Amino acid sequence: MSVPQALLRALQEAVGSEHVLVEGDLSGYEKDWRRRWHGRAGAVVRPSSTEQVARVVRACLEAGVSMVPQGGNTGLVGGGVPDSSGTQVLVSLRRMNRIRQIDRANLTITADAGCVLQHVQEAADAEGLFFPLSLAAEGSCTLGGNLATNAGGTQVVRYGNARELCLGLEVVTPQGAVWPGLSGLRKDNTGYDLRNLYIGSEGTLGIITAATMKLVPKPAAVTTALTSCATLADCVALLGLAQSRLGPGLTGFEVMNRFSLALVARHFPQLPRPLPAAEWTVLLEQSDTEGEARARARFEQLLEAALEQGLVQDAVVAESLAQSQGLWHVRESIPLAQSEEGLNIKHDIALPVSAIPDFVARTDAALAAHQPGIRLVNFGHLGDGNLHYNVQAPDGVDAAQFLREQEPAVNDIVYDQVQACGGSISAEHGVGQLKREELQHRKSPVALATMRAIKQALDPKGLMNPGRVV
Ligand code: FAD
Ligand code: ZN
């Protein structure tokens, strides 16, 4: 299968024939990062401007052909890869990679959707400012993908998700019109909030072509500390203590269970291991407006208090930027260590922080009863109530077979507990293909009907990333 000849010609006219790919190795666009989904694109189109995106959309609309927007293709829920029909047009935004403007007084940056996140961070840094969205995929994911999935990452506890950082968007609608919503306003109450409708819509309502994002003054110092805790309840108590002692200085609070760090040690033995293995390890990050010395002193006071209260067993404060980066590297290597270990069942869940210790105790026990030996890679952004509660096959059990046979039952166990605790089945990765069915059972019928009505109103022909989210 392929796309109709007339459409192919229209796409070539829109973006230039060298940027319409129909043959050769397209697997970089067709396969997702986890290698769970492998579709086939009728054509891959690489526009370089908003006008070109609009022309591509109008051509597809006229031909009745559906589109899949794609940025860095690092998404974890199969939202950005084509289906297997070989008839969809994959719209890659990667050539749209210009920083358009930095407004120092307004503390904003406006950039094309295809800018790699790290590129946006570096552009802000070069102006002595700071763009606080940060995640392990930042070297390849794009700003448009971050907004389309409302990405979270490691500094949400202080700065919020991609949504909280966004002030304005430019979007090509499913009709091929351009919504010029690139405002840098922090206040604008002029009716329905279109920006927030597109954020998190995973390419199902239109194609984001640019965004205006908030910047903050660059902190004078960023330091980290690592602690070990005996229980998850102690980690939660430590979070409360850190919030009260450090206030807005607390910019990261990550937990890692024993097995997640054991996997990192197994697959990346060269990485640092500054503390003895413990049930729970916490990585704290602090940003300070004055400097390194004050930040370290505040950490030391906090950790002394935590030791006195019996909340932590061991603690170390990083002595240099390199050491801090080493600690973050360990934390960010967990997903990679997991893929090295083999296919696994991922759950990106949100819970009230207060409910997390109970949730984990109950769900761990239910899974162990379901299949003895099941291995839990539990880590994540405790400061935001977001766990990556992942399930790996028991030692010696074939991972692919485990996934095939156990995924539905394991998901039921985990998501039933999530629901019972008032949580969400997707905290920061989105719905995509992976959780679309599950969402039908877990979200209120009123919410689902409203979402479908919005989709129908904005994309009545259903050509914008069909089969995802709703
Ligand atoms: P893609 O994968 O290309 O696309 C993702 C979705 O957005 C798809 O549905 C696609 O159709 C849509 N889309 C992409 N661009 C556009 C656009 N311009 N307009 C409309 N729709 C579009 N996520 C977190 O939130 N926090 C983390 O800490 C985190 N860590 C990660 C670590 C690793 C190692 C990896 C591989 C992923 C991680 N992610 C994390 C997943 C996260 O969703 C992505 O990294 C990122 O936000 C997606 O950006 P992307 O450009 O790669 O989007
Ligand atoms: Zn995460």
Side-chain angles (χ1 to χ4, degrees):
M1 292 297 285
S2 62
V3 298
Q5 280 303 316
L7 172 58
L8 212 52
R9 276 196 302 278
L11 296 174
Q12 287 165 342
E13 271 165 33
V15 304
S17 46
E18 67 274 34
H19 297 301
V20 181
L21 317 177
V22 285
E23 50 196 20
D25 180 14
L26 301 180
S27 60
Y29 299 99
E30 295 174 328
K31 213 187 297 177
D32 78 309
W33 187 84
R34 288 174 69 190
R35 297 188 220 103
R36 273 200 74 171
W37 289 275
H38 190 176
R40 225 163 66 62
V44 172
V45 189
R46 296 160 33 90
S48 65
S49 69
T50 304
E51 187 42 40
Q52 287 190 3
V53 175
R55 286 183 66 181
V56 166
V57 172
R58 289 196 295 267
C60 290
L61 179 67
E62 197 177 316
V65 165
S66 64
M67 291 152 269
V68 181
Q70 188 184 85
N73 196 15
T74 66
L76 298 174
V77 290
V81 285
D83 64 23
S84 55
S85 67
T87 61
Q88 295 191 298
V89 169
L90 188 136
V91 185
S92 168
L93 278 296
R94 271 184 261 186
R95 287 180 66 229
M96 289 196 61
N97 57 8
R98 286 171 313 130
I99 302 292
R100 296 194 189 177
Q101 193 204 16
I102 293 183
D103 183 336
R104 294 182 57 88
N106 198 44
L107 285 174
T108 48
I109 184 167
T110 300
D112 283 355
C115 280
V116 168
L117 173 56
Q118 193 177 333
H119 180 41
V120 181
Q121 295 165 345
E122 286 166 358
D125 188 71
E127 293 288 324
L129 297 168
F130 180 59
F131 181 54
L133 187 65
S134 174
L135 42 126
E138 65 199 18
S140 1
C141 65
T142 63
L143 184 58
N146 299 148
L147 287 161
T149 58
N150 185 23
T154 52
Q155 302 191 316
V156 175
V157 67
R158 168 74 174 89
Y159 302 106
N161 296 300
R163 184 187 300 287
E164 279 83 44
L165 293 168
C166 181
L167 294 175
L169 287 181
E170 180 185 82
V171 175
V172 172
T173 71
Q175 288 68 43
V178 179
W179 172 49
L182 282 178
S183 116
L185 302 179
R186 284 172 173 78
K187 291 189 166 184
D188 179 10
N189 282 348
T190 52
Y192 301 151
D193 191 339
L194 300 183
R195 173 191 65 203
N196 274 326
L197 192 55
Y198 288 113
I199 296 173
S201 67
E202 300 183 50
T204 62
L205 300 179
I207 301 183
I208 298 169
T209 49
T212 299
M213 308 295 294
K214 289 182 197 168
L215 299 175
V216 297
K218 191 149 60 178
V222 179
T223 55
T224 58
L226 201 69
T227 72
S228 49
C229 296
T231 68
L232 202 44
D234 287 346
C235 300
V236 170
L238 177 63
L239 171 65
L241 191 65
Q243 282 167 327
S244 70
R245 293 283 176 113
L246 305 177
L250 182 69
T251 45
F253 195 98
E254 303 281 314
V255 291
M256 301 163 269
N257 79 342
R258 182 188 284 271
F259 183 55
S260 57
L261 287 181
L263 275 189
V264 174
R266 177 181 304 168
H267 295 287
F268 306 110
Q270 73 279 14
L271 291 182
R273 263 177 279 179
L275 292 180
E279 282 316 301
W280 295 95
T281 302
V282 178
L283 175 60
L284 300 96
E285 185 190 83
Q286 188 195 167
S287 301
D288 192 88
T289 50
E290 277 187 18
E292 185 88 24
R294 186 175 81 157
R296 288 174 46 81
R298 294 178 84 194
F299 254 154
E300 272 152 20
Q301 285 158 12
L302 167 72
L303 295 174
E304 260 168 42
L307 273 167
E308 261 168 37
Q309 293 178 28
L311 301 179
V312 306
Q313 300 168 315
D314 271 308
V316 3
V317 178
E319 280 174 7
S320 65
L321 186 62
Q323 218 176 38
S324 273
Q325 285 165 343
L327 297 181
W328 271 117
H329 197 167
V330 172
R331 156 65 185 84
E332 294 191 332
S333 298
I334 298 172
L336 296 169
Q338 264 191 283
S339 344
E340 293 291 317
E341 185 73 8
L343 285 172
N344 53 82
I345 306 174
K346 288 198 194 300
H347 305 104
D348 160 44
I349 53 178
L351 296 150
V353 171
S354 50
I356 284 180
D358 256 9
F359 165 85
V360 170
R362 270 191 277 146
T363 316
D364 281 8
L367 287 169
H370 173 73
Q371 183 161 4
I374 218 163
R375 297 177 299 164
L376 297 170
V377 187
N378 187 359
F379 66 99
H381 321 285
L382 187 71
D384 322 323
N386 175 193
L387 292 180
H388 298 308
Y389 188 87
N390 300 336
V391 180
Q392 205 104 29
D395 248 332
V397 171
D398 178 66
Q401 185 187 351
F402 173 74
L403 201 72
R404 235 180 3 257
E405 291 173 0
Q406 295 299 333
E407 189 167 25
V410 165
N411 285 350
D412 282 349
I413 291 172
V414 175
Y415 293 144
D416 283 350
Q417 294 290 352
V418 168
Q419 209 162 5
C421 294
S424 166
I425 65 164
S426 178
E428 58 174 7
H429 296 162
V431 177
Q433 303 182 59
L434 179 69
K435 295 181 182 170
R436 184 176 166 233
E437 261 316 296
E438 197 69 47
L439 200 70
Q440 307 306 307
H441 308 299
R442 304 286 177 183
K443 215 164 163 85
S444 96
V446 176
L448 287 168
T450 307
M451 282 167 62
R452 285 193 205 102
I454 291 170
K455 171 75 175 168
Q456 176 64 26
L458 268 60
D459 180 22
K461 295 209 155 58
L463 297 181
M464 215 32 103
N465 215 2
R468 317 291 150 95
V469 187
V470 282

